[in-house]
Amino acid sequence: MKCVVSVLGKDRSGIVAAVSNVLAQCGANIDDISQTILDDIFSMTMLVTIDTDAADFNTVQEKLTAVGEDLGVQVITQREDVFQYMYKV
């Protein structure tokens, strides 16, 4: 299952590592990643493939939300098909 993971918040050390670690623990693969820092605001978007045999979508979403809370950033995880449908012109 493909998912879009968005991270936004005050820049600090370890954000990419913590999010990537959760994804690795869940058996997910990062297919593409884009990140930028504007002044002191960190923004990252990832396209991820979740191995649903290792962890289902809800489990991955809950773990990413929890790590975001620990880091003080917002992490939003969406199924790619829902994401594509929401932004269809």
Side-chain angles (χ1 to χ4, degrees):
M1 166 188 298
K2 297 265 190 199
C3 296
V4 176
V5 178
S6 303
V7 181
L8 182 65
K10 185 172 173 20
D11 187 34
R12 61 169 284 193
S13 178
I15 296 172
V16 176
V19 172
S20 298
N21 188 32
V22 168
L23 291 169
Q25 290 174 2
C26 292
N29 185 57
I30 299 169
D31 301 321
D32 201 355
I33 182 172
S34 174
Q35 66 182 40
T36 191
I37 299 169
L38 300 171
D39 197 11
D40 199 23
I41 304 297
F42 176 84
S43 174
M44 176 171 67
T45 305
M46 299 172 143
L47 182 60
V48 175
T49 301
I50 294 177
D51 178 0
T52 54
D53 291 334
D56 65 10
F57 174 81
N58 290 336
T59 299
V60 175
Q61 185 178 44
E62 289 168 7
K63 289 184 178 204
L64 287 172
T65 298
V67 80
E69 290 172 2
D70 290 345
L71 293 167
V73 298
Q74 179 185 43
V75 180
I76 298 172
T77 309
Q78 299 173 289
R79 290 179 171 90
E80 183 192 31
D81 56 346
V82 173
F83 181 87
Q84 294 290 356
Y85 182 77
M86 286 175 42
Y87 296 101
K88 201 173 200 176
V89 177

